[in-house]
Amino acid sequence: MTATTKLCKEGLLKLAELLDKLPAEAEINRASAEWNGAADVLLSRGLDVVAAVYGLEIKERRFEYEDSSNIQRTAVLNGITLVEIVPAPEVK
């Protein structure tokens, strides 16, 4: 097994273990592991619940996409980045 394959396999195993531990409120949109062992989970909802259960800090970053403004919310659990994208409130 090559080093790259081993890292990817480790990332997938870590990801599978984490997915089993997420609270039911966390709705998973997509999960992936990269060739370098990094993994992330895109949540449709539930990041606040996960953060509360595991005592995680949520970081937010505003970004523009086409004609909408969104906030990317992230937290890291066991080395895996959890991401939730929500619409930014309109500023008047």
Side-chain angles (χ1 to χ4, degrees):
M1 179 180 312
T2 67
T4 300
T5 303
K6 185 176 179 184
L7 276 174
C8 191
K9 181 179 176 182
E10 288 172 2
L12 287 169
L13 291 173
K14 198 176 188 183
L15 187 58
E17 183 180 322
L18 174 93
L19 294 177
D20 284 340
K21 294 180 181 179
L22 289 179
E25 294 85 355
E27 187 175 293
I28 300 166
N29 180 297
R30 176 186 57 81
S32 65
E34 301 296 325
W35 63 269
N36 61 0
D40 62 41
V41 176
L42 178 62
L43 299 175
S44 298
R45 65 183 174 94
L47 184 61
D48 290 321
V49 174
V50 176
V53 168
Y54 291 103
L56 305 176
E57 177 186 354
I58 296 176
K59 295 181 181 178
E60 295 185 352
R61 178 181 70 84
R62 187 181 180 111
F63 68 96
E64 305 294 324
Y65 180 75
E66 294 180 358
D67 61 348
S68 65
S69 184
N70 299 293
I71 297 174
Q72 180 184 40
R73 305 174 75 229
T74 61
V76 178
L77 177 59
N78 296 338
I80 296 174
T81 303
L82 304 171
V83 180
E84 184 180 66
I85 297 173
V86 296
E90 289 187 31
V91 178
K92 295 186 178 199

